[in-house]
Amino acid sequence: MKDVVAIDGPSASGKSTTARMVARELGYLHLDTGAMYRAVTVACLRQNLPPQPSPQLDLLLDELDIQFDREGSGDQRVLLAGEDVSGQIRSPEVNAVVSSYSALPQVRKRLVKLQQQAAEGNNVVCEGRDIGTRVFPDARHKFFIVADLKVRAERRRDELEAAGTAADLEELMAELARRDKADTIREHSPLVKAEDAIELDTSNLTIEMQVERVIAHVKGRSA
Ligand code: DC
């Protein structure tokens, strides 16, 4: 079996940046599963499908076409039926409801299968909420990345400001706390640390330090 590095943790914990940089450094494929749940959410919103089981949802999932565009050296783009939805999947509308769609067992079943297929034959760094517990329970390396709520909200605010959007820290903290709760208490594949995952608290770490720790561990164990 190829090497799998599983990185789980709550929103804005630094998972994505860490996963992207670790994948680049190791030459592994980067699989951002949160982007897939976000793309399904965009598809459902476009069809006015509420977050509940329905035949229309089953059909949408059957026909779902999500691709990652890995061309070039820039950020990975997310394509929904060929259309670039990289910006839309990070919109406030999607942030507000993605937890409701990702709690649906139909959605999870379909996406877990797509994630496992995407990893076939590849060395991957896969990030999400249930990677070490459900998607790749046999992953050789598992990390659970956490950080204080305030630190996470500050990081999100800085990201938004860098992109030219003003954001209120208190509101961001409330939004993150709400999403953490929804992801943690849901019935199907809740956000939980796998027993054999290494917990990494990044509250006081720079991105470089986080990446270094993950890489050191992966190389140590792979050697
Ligand atoms: O990592 P993110 O913020 O982009 O994830 C968006 C949402 O998708 C998040 O609220 C929880 C859900 N998600 C999930 O349920 N399982 C995953 N493996 C990844 C994300």
Side-chain angles (χ1 to χ4, degrees):
M1 186 182 150
K2 294 282 188 172
D3 206 14
V4 176
V5 180
I7 301 186
D8 288 301
S11 302
S13 55
K15 281 189 316 287
S16 287
T17 315
T18 306
R20 186 170 61 239
M21 291 174 72
V22 168
R24 192 176 301 156
E25 176 118 3
L26 295 173
Y28 286 14
L29 195 73
H30 172 211
L31 197 56
D32 175 359
T33 64
M36 298 172 77
Y37 287 95
R38 288 170 178 275
V40 168
T41 302
V42 167
C44 288
L45 290 175
R46 285 180 176 178
Q47 292 195 23
N48 288 320
L49 289 185
Q52 61 195 40
S54 68
Q56 293 94 323
L57 176 65
D58 290 341
L59 190 64
L60 182 149
L61 291 170
D62 279 349
E63 294 177 347
L64 190 65
D65 173 12
I66 299 175
Q67 306 283 341
F68 289 100
D69 181 354
R70 303 176 201 283
E71 295 295 309
S73 57
D75 273 350
Q76 182 166 279
R77 295 185 311 149
V78 183
L79 306 178
L80 180 64
E83 179 191 341
D84 183 359
V85 292
S86 315
Q88 281 174 51
I89 63 170
R90 312 271 166 211
S91 67
E93 292 74 25
V94 170
N95 286 342
V97 295
V98 60
S99 289
S100 310
Y101 290 96
S102 55
L104 297 171
Q106 297 77 345
V107 171
R108 305 206 66 83
K109 193 170 164 214
R110 178 81 177 114
L111 288 193
V112 167
K113 196 155 177 220
L114 288 179
Q115 290 154 17
Q116 291 168 338
Q117 283 170 354
E120 259 167 37
N122 292 302
N123 290 320
V124 291
V125 178
C126 187
E127 53 152 314
R129 303 291 189 291
D130 59 344
I131 310 306
T133 52
R134 169 83 182 85
V135 184
F136 299 115
D138 299 328
R140 192 146 23 141
H141 316 282
K142 296 184 187 178
F143 297 90
F144 195 75
I145 301 203
V146 297
D148 292 343
L149 180 63
K150 185 151 183 263
V151 172
R152 291 191 282 134
E154 284 168 353
R155 288 178 185 162
R156 211 11 86 81
R157 181 195 56 193
D158 294 348
E159 268 171 27
L160 287 167
E161 284 181 355
T165 314
D168 180 77
L169 192 64
E170 296 292 323
E171 272 176 30
L172 287 175
M173 284 174 70
E175 150 88 25
L176 285 175
R178 186 188 60 73
R179 211 130 61 81
D180 286 353
K181 187 166 171 213
D183 294 341
T184 307
I185 62 169
R186 71 175 178 225
E187 188 185 347
H188 302 278
S189 305
L191 170 66
V192 59
K193 176 179 167 297
E195 263 176 32
D196 50 350
I198 293 174
E199 184 164 320
L200 198 58
D201 186 335
T202 68
S203 304
N204 298 308
L205 298 183
T206 62
I207 280 292
E208 289 73 23
M209 289 158 95
Q210 295 174 40
V211 171
E212 210 171 285
R213 291 199 187 181
V214 172
I215 300 250
H217 181 80
V218 170
K219 288 197 170 157
R221 275 230 211 151
S222 300

